[in-house]
């Protein structure tokens, strides 16, 4: 089991993670078609793309065919696929960028992951023709984005504690501050508020908030993603796991910590026939492969996104 100091250091490393982006204005919306300079930025993995829209609208203002478009009418696409704005950019990158992830995650191996991209991730921004079938519209005040984030926090809070009283009892200032801390990548402010919501280290989660993403082969009509989610207790009966897995010192001797490998074998046995070794697929979080032996609660405590969820992307091997 990792020490509390190690988990805090991992969280800091996660929040320091960035992705180089090259954002181009959609040619159909540009006066100069393919001569508009791109917007280049190093963007935090835990942040959300709509945070860039005010700067992008100002940057591309002189090139827009439709000068009256508003920044909150902006949306992003990758190779023609509209990107879900309520997902953090790190998750979107892991889902769509196609880079081979680092073989080890620094969070649990004390090694720095490989550079996840030698080149910027190239995205397209649009300020018209909103894809209503794929995305909920944003608003000028940012309340749609804020509400989506807080709702996700409530879901994670309910799983961790069996109740959402934690997030519901936050002051208006702290509730707003939690979103602002993520938006501005302010880890100290985030930690101050999130500690109110998290059970103390000696108290296990009731269930661990993890979502597993299985990219499906895109078609011409509606590229989609399959999301797997199930109540995941941090400990399981020892008889359900191999004896070599970690004993849960915080519970009775008859239980063991549930690991990434054990979770994936239970939920996706066809993709993960082994609890110990990735054979057909590998679990990716923050651009690196998770160790199969990592306890799921420690993964979430150290490496969850700002809304409290660990978003694990399954990548096929070979």
């Amino acid at each position: 089991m990792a020490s509390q100091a190690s988990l805090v250091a991992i969280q800091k490393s996660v929040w320091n993670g960035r992705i180089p982006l090259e954002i181009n204005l959609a040619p159909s919306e540009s006066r100069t078609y393919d001569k508009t300079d791109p917007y280049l930025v190093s963007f935090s993995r835990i942040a959300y793309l709509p945070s860039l829209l005010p700067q992008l609208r100002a940057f591309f203002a002189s090139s827009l065919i439709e000068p009256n478009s508003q920044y909150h009418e902006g949306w992003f696409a990758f190779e023609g696929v509209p990107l879900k704005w309520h997902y953090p950019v790190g998750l979107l990158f892991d889902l769509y960028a196609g880079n081979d992830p680092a073989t080890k995650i620094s969070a649990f191996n004390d090694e720095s992951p490989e550079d996840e991209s030698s080149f910027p991730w190239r995205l397209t921004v649009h300020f018209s023709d909103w894809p209503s079938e794929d995305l909920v519209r944003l608003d000028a005040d940012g309340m749609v984005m804020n509400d989506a984030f807080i709702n996700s926090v409530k879901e994670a809070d309910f799983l961790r504690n069996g109740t959402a009283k934690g997030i519901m009892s936050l002051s208006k200032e702290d509730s707003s501050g939690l979103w602002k801390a993520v938006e501005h990548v302010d880890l100290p402010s985030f930690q101050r508020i999130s500690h109110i919501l998290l059970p103390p280290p000696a108290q296990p989660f009731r269930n661990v908030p993890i979502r597993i993403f299985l990219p499906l082969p895109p078609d011409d009509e509606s590229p989609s993603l399959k999301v797997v989610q199930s109540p995941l207790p941090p400990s399981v009966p020892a008889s359900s796991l191999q004896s070599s897995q970690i004993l849960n010192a915080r519970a009775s001797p008859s239980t063991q910590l549930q690991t990434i490998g054990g979770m994936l074998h239970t939920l996706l046995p066809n993709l993960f026939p082994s609890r110990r070794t990735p054979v057909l697929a590998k679990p990716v979080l923050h651009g690196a492969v998770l160790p199969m032996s990592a306890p799921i609660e420690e993964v979430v405590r150290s490496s969850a996104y700002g809304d409290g969820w660990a978003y694990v992307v399954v990548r096929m091997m070979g």
Side-chain angles (χ1 to χ4, degrees):
M1 292 174 57
S3 68
Q4 183 61 23
S6 296
L7 296 181
V8 171
I10 292 164
Q11 185 183 42
K12 183 177 180 181
S13 177
V14 166
W15 276 62
N16 285 338
R18 306 186 77 82
I19 297 173
L21 303 178
E22 177 185 305
I23 303 174
N24 293 276
L25 180 63
S28 62
E29 300 179 30
S30 173
R31 295 176 184 271
T32 55
Y33 191 69
D34 61 350
K35 296 181 181 178
T36 307
D37 290 334
Y39 184 91
L40 303 176
V41 63
S42 177
F43 198 56
S44 172
R45 261 189 161 272
I46 60 97
Y48 295 77
L49 286 172
S51 299
L52 288 171
L53 287 174
Q55 303 97 289
L56 289 170
R57 176 62 179 76
F59 181 81
F60 291 119
S62 62
S63 299
L64 288 170
I65 292 175
E66 177 48 70
N68 295 323
S69 62
Q70 304 297 310
Y71 72 85
H72 64 272
E73 297 174 318
W75 56 281
F76 298 85
F78 174 67
E79 296 184 350
V81 178
L83 297 178
K84 305 291 188 184
W85 53 254
H86 63 285
Y87 289 159
V89 72
L91 170 60
L92 294 172
F93 181 86
D94 291 345
L95 284 169
Y96 293 108
N99 285 54
D100 192 34
T103 55
K104 294 183 178 180
I105 185 168
S106 59
F108 298 93
N109 294 280
D110 297 322
E111 297 181 20
S112 297
E114 300 168 14
D115 182 12
E116 60 193 13
S117 177
S118 301
F119 302 97
W121 187 28
R122 294 178 174 85
L123 304 179
T124 301
V125 64
H126 299 253
F127 289 97
S128 63
D129 299 323
W130 186 274
S132 299
E133 293 184 1
D134 299 296
L135 305 176
V136 175
R137 284 189 176 273
L138 298 169
D139 65 310
D141 298 324
M143 291 308 299
V144 172
M145 184 72 236
N146 178 85
D147 290 349
F149 174 80
I150 293 299
N151 285 337
S152 191
V153 174
K154 289 178 182 177
E155 292 181 70
D157 193 36
F158 182 82
L159 283 172
R160 287 191 305 257
N161 300 296
T163 174
K165 289 182 179 179
I167 182 66
M168 298 298 289
S169 63
L170 284 184
S171 66
K172 184 177 181 180
E173 180 182 2
D174 279 346
S175 181
S176 174
L178 190 67
W179 164 240
K180 289 180 179 177
V182 172
E183 191 175 29
H184 299 142
V185 198
D186 181 353
L187 180 56
S189 295
F190 175 82
Q191 289 174 326
R192 179 186 66 79
I193 302 170
S194 66
H195 284 171
I196 302 173
L197 305 177
L198 288 174
Q203 178 183 331
F205 290 174
R206 183 164 181 170
N207 283 292
V208 181
I210 295 178
R211 287 189 174 123
I212 303 167
F213 287 76
L214 299 172
L216 299 177
D219 55 43
D220 293 335
E221 299 297 328
S222 57
S224 58
L225 299 165
K226 182 178 181 182
V227 183
V228 177
Q229 180 182 328
S230 178
L232 296 168
S235 300
V236 292
S239 59
S240 69
L241 296 176
Q242 296 178 3
S243 60
S244 62
Q245 288 189 284
I246 306 170
L247 185 66
N248 184 359
R250 295 178 301 184
S252 69
S254 62
T255 64
Q256 291 175 318
L257 293 179
Q258 182 159 203
T259 63
I260 291 293
M263 171 195 73
L264 292 171
H265 175 72
T266 299
L267 296 179
L268 302 166
N270 291 335
L271 288 176
F272 295 92
S274 169
R275 293 183 174 92
R276 295 182 179 181
T277 306
V279 177
L280 303 174
K282 49 193 174 185
V284 175
L285 178 63
H286 299 300
V289 176
L290 281 169
M292 299 286 273
S293 61
I296 61 172
E297 182 177 327
E298 290 188 0
V299 169
V300 170
R301 282 188 181 272
S302 64
S303 305
Y305 283 93
D307 60 0
W309 288 87
Y311 296 120
V312 177
V313 175
V314 173
R315 286 276 186 84
M316 299 306 296
M317 298 173 65

